[in-house]
């Protein structure tokens, strides 16, 4: 079970299922917040799509990388709601049928989501009177998921930054689990190449599945700068790197295990995104919005309270629980169970420290909301 | 959690998930055997449907009440295989896309099935070179599951005998959990009425979802005789009744709990099936085949070995494990966890006894395979 091959590591990629303390469902406030900030782009996109397609009788919507729990159905509820509202606004009295496909990897905890479907459908019936069908689609979004020309709207929130595999050529990235200062240029290149391949494939597959003039809204982690290659790409992984390194020096984790572990994740900059979309050629970019925050847990209260370490530690713990909810299955697949508690204890403390000085650090990460139309 | 209302009992209806000793996946040899005996009807139906619909570019197949584990994908594999073969036989070189919807109640263990999807798709790619999409549809088949006129083939194996709710009017069915000799005529009527309502609704909903000339093959438990109303309807439930009654007399189960429990299941006779299909009016019956066996575990060896009680007990245990895999969630929802071990210990012993005299008892149950065409 330990140290699987690099490809099979991606098989283990999933948010932590169920609804326990460290589950994704209990720690997805941040992801939920992101959706509420990107919702207006999704709504705009839906309206434009419906106009262009002249209000079809059945609309098929896909949510890719839906994860498990309430978040997924929350986004779907807003999408369905917007569709129905738009039909009403233009005086169409018959609402369309809506077919909602929730996609994630086969090891995702679909059961937890599916148990929420009856109340989702009930709420829909009460509030929007739309007929809606929900299904789960267990497969990688780096393969075909739906029949040709069947989708009207594709939505994906905080998923496309996950790569299809750990990039090749990371053998010398021994002191980090991602792109972290200092690192050699080839580490960055390896990640960038894998992202280009993966994102291009993603667009090609979706272009086959989407009707002409169908829309796609992708929200994912990005990076602000284009020339600052050797800075940390994503602070969450840099902190996690430090934690694992500590465990190596404490003898809890073997050096070779740390050296062979790299997170299959890449947050591109805007130029990199535009370049792949343009080269792949199936979609037009309508707009790219940027959301400039990355720390999920703000500390309540005014600045003077920022000196209070216990508050920082509290926030650090919450952030650790969030990081755990999105990485635990991956870490267990490579390092085994026993690493989890110590790694996230450390993470909470590092995060507390980081928060106490974060005002003085540049934040290199942001969120992209990319709205696209199938040509 | 205990003694939920009659409707919510149906929410608990599911096969036992996972792949442990008493799970459905580990105890579905019988159901698998049934599929192999009904397969030829499904294949015939697929071929006729494809001819009538002139080989569409995308075929949507639904499996209703799919349960969890390997069985579901086994049936789907044969269906997909037959579709591809039929295209090849008539010289169509481009295989169609196939969209396979696996349906069951939201509490079904879809996770166990979904983990098997990658190897299912891999096997398909190796053997039949068809492009196939798999999704899970978590909802009762007594509600709409798919968009209008979207399905080409509906398959359902050993599911339609489950009712949408416990029938009304069973207040005086206090000494049994189903229709069991002796019982008053109103018990039989209550079950029959609920079956008629449910099966008629099932046909209406499927008629909305199925394309004209689309096909449906339903396999479910039936009954041989039409006038023998007061005989036991289904021996498995009669045995289970006896077990629960024993536990009442032993003080393990409260009398009131036994009195308020009835299994939402009905196995109709052929006339009842034909009448509902004809009155509902959307489907033509192509054929009804009957399979006349009900005991899942035959005792190996010749007749003289039938005298050996330990062999019977072994078979009784296997049958108990099978009965447990299809009823445990239902029983736990009403009686709670502690009933499970004692009830199926008793079941194994009763079954052993039953097997030792079964040659002399009439078997009233059989399996119907009903092939239908959407008008």
């Amino acid at each position: 079970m330990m140290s699987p091959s690099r490809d099979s590591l991606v098989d283990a990629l999933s948010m932590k299922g169920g609804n326990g303390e460290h589950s994704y469902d209990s720690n997805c406030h941040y992801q939920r917040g992101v959706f509420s900030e990107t919702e207006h782009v999704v709504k705009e996109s839906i309206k434009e799509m419906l106009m262009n397609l002249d209000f079809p009788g059945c609309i098929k919507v896909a949510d890719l990388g839906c994860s498990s729990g309430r978040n997924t159905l929350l986004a779907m509820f807003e999408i369905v709601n917007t569709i129905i509202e738009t039909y009403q606004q233009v005086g169409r009295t018959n609402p369309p049928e809506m077919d909602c496909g929730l996609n994630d990897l086969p090891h995702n905890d679909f059961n937890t989501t599916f148990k929420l479907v009856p109340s989702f459908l009930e709420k829909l019936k009460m509030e929007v009177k739309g007929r809606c069908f929900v299904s789960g689609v267990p497969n990688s979004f780096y393969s075909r998921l739906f029949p040709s020309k069947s989708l009207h709207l594709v939505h994906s929130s905080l998923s496309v930054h996950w790569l299809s595999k750990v990039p090749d050529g990371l053998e010398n990235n021994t002191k980090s689990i991602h792109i972290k200062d200092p690192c050699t240029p080839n580490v960055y290149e390896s990640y960038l190449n894998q992202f280009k391949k993966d994102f291009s494939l993603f667009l090609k597959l979706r272009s086959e599945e989407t009707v002409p003039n169908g829309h796609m809204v992708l929200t994912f982690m990005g990076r602000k700068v284009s020339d600052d290659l050797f800075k940390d790409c994503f602070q969450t992984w840099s902190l996690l790197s430090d934690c694992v390194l500590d465990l190596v020096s404490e003898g809890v984790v073997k050096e070779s295990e740390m050296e062979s572990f790299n997170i299959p994740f890449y947050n591109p900059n805007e130029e990199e995104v535009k370049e792949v979309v343009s080269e792949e050629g199936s979609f037009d970019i309508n707009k790219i919005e940027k959301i400039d925050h990355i720390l999920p847990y703000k500390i309540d209260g005014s600045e003077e309270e920022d000196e209070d370490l216990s508050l920082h530690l509290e926030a650090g713990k919450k952030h650790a629980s969030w990081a755990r909810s999105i990485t635990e299955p991956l870490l267990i697949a490579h390092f085994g169970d026993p690493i989890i508690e110590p790694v996230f204890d450390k993470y909470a403390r590092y995060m507390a420290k980081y928060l106490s000085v974060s005002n003085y650090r540049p934040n290199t990460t942001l969120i992209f909301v990319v709205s696209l139309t199938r040509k």
Side-chain angles (χ1 to χ4, degrees), chain A:
Chain A
M1 283 293 288
M2 307 273 284
S3 298
S5 75
R6 290 170 165 234
D7 281 10
S8 70
L9 191 61
V10 171
D11 292 341
L13 181 60
S14 70
M15 305 300 101
K16 188 168 164 63
N19 36 35
E21 184 188 352
H22 300 293
S23 69
Y24 177 79
D25 190 43
S26 299
N27 287 280
C28 57
H29 328 283
Y30 176 60
Q31 288 89 335
R32 201 174 304 158
V34 167
F35 181 71
S36 77
E37 287 188 73
T38 63
E39 211 179 330
H40 66 282
V41 183
V42 179
K43 288 185 170 179
E44 220 173 78
S45 180
I46 290 171
K47 285 176 188 182
E48 204 182 306
M49 177 271 289
L50 292 177
M51 297 290 182
N52 288 344
L53 294 175
D54 197 23
F55 297 88
C58 181
I59 313 266
K60 184 148 183 174
V61 182
D63 192 66
L64 307 185
C66 63
S67 187
S68 69
R70 292 160 292 175
N71 260 13
T72 280
L73 291 171
L74 192 86
M76 202 45 98
F77 185 80
E78 292 307 326
I79 289 171
V80 166
N81 214 0
T82 305
I83 293 173
I84 300 282
E85 267 176 23
T86 311
Y87 274 67
Q88 286 167 346
Q89 279 161 10
V90 298
R92 305 247 171 179
T93 46
N94 285 336
E97 295 186 337
M98 286 160 296
D99 193 8
C100 306
L102 306 175
N103 154 261
D104 212 312
L105 288 165
H107 280 75
N108 179 54
D109 179 10
F110 281 94
N111 284 356
T112 295
T113 306
F114 283 0
K115 281 173 194 152
L116 301 169
V117 166
S119 61
F120 168 79
L121 294 176
E122 201 49 46
K123 193 175 163 210
L124 263 186
K125 225 159 94 183
M126 303 283 285
E127 293 186 21
V128 303
K129 311 214 181 305
R131 176 168 267 165
C132 189
F133 309 107
V134 178
S135 59
V137 180
N139 204 341
S140 163
F141 52 53
Y142 295 118
S143 50
R144 276 288 298 275
L145 300 169
F146 299 97
S148 300
K149 297 195 194 326
S150 63
L151 298 176
H152 299 83
L153 181 76
V154 177
H155 175 251
S156 176
S157 186
L158 299 175
S159 297
V160 177
H161 42 232
W162 292 105
L163 301 172
S164 73
K165 55 177 276 197
V166 177
D168 295 326
L170 294 179
E171 290 73 16
N172 66 356
N173 193 35
T174 53
K175 298 289 172 226
S176 162
I177 62 171
H178 195 244
I179 305 166
K180 180 177 184 303
D181 185 25
C183 82
T184 55
N186 80 298
V187 170
Y188 175 80
E189 289 299 326
S190 285
Y191 269 102
L192 175 60
N193 286 340
Q194 190 61 45
F195 169 75
K196 283 184 175 174
K197 261 189 231 168
D198 282 342
F199 191 44
S200 183
L201 176 63
F202 178 90
L203 294 169
K204 178 178 167 289
L205 296 166
R206 302 297 82 77
S207 79
E208 293 170 7
E209 293 164 350
T210 309
V211 300
N213 287 314
H215 275 227
M216 178 149 82
V217 181
L218 307 176
T219 300
F220 53 92
M221 291 292 180
R223 225 165 60 251
K224 280 181 191 166
V225 287
S226 60
D227 55 347
D228 210 347
L229 303 186
F230 303 109
K231 282 266 177 294
D232 297 2
C233 245
F234 191 62
Q235 287 114 333
T236 302
W237 305 149
S238 300
L239 280 184
L240 199 56
S241 270
D242 292 344
C243 302
V244 180
L245 267 183
D246 279 4
L247 292 179
V248 169
S249 70
E250 289 168 19
V252 177
V253 166
K254 281 189 203 149
E255 201 165 358
S256 61
E257 269 177 24
M258 159 90 190
E259 289 177 1
S260 62
F261 184 72
N262 290 282
I263 296 233
F265 174 101
Y266 183 73
N267 49 330
N269 65 45
E270 191 170 349
E271 287 317 304
E272 290 163 356
V273 172
K274 284 182 171 166
E275 191 189 312
V276 177
V277 174
S278 148
E279 280 183 9
E280 195 281 326
S282 310
F283 290 91
D284 284 322
I285 295 180
N286 306 316
K287 65 154 79 174
I288 300 186
E289 284 203 7
K290 280 151 254 173
I291 304 174
D292 189 359
H293 63 75
I294 182 60
L295 289 182
Y297 294 94
K298 297 231 172 86
I299 296 164
D300 295 319
S302 58
E303 270 198 13
E304 59 262 33
E305 283 177 335
D306 273 12
E307 301 304 309
D308 186 338
L309 191 69
S310 76
L311 263 184
H312 288 310
L313 195 60
E314 198 49 43
K317 279 182 186 165
K318 280 187 182 168
H319 195 287
S321 194
W322 170 81
R324 180 173 173 170
S325 77
I326 66 169
T327 53
E328 186 178 308
L330 201 64
L331 292 173
I332 288 179
H334 187 83
F335 295 106
D337 249 324
I339 195 190
I340 298 301
E341 292 292 341
V343 97
F344 289 105
D345 276 357
K346 283 182 191 298
Y347 191 100
R349 284 201 295 275
Y350 272 117
M351 193 65 190
K353 220 179 193 173
Y354 175 80
L355 285 168
S356 67
V357 295
S358 64
N359 287 338
Y360 312 103
R361 283 201 191 190
N363 181 3
T364 57
T365 322
L366 40 63
I367 290 170
F368 289 134
V369 193
V370 185
S371 164
L372 304 141
T373 301
R374 174 78 174 96
K375 288 180 185 170

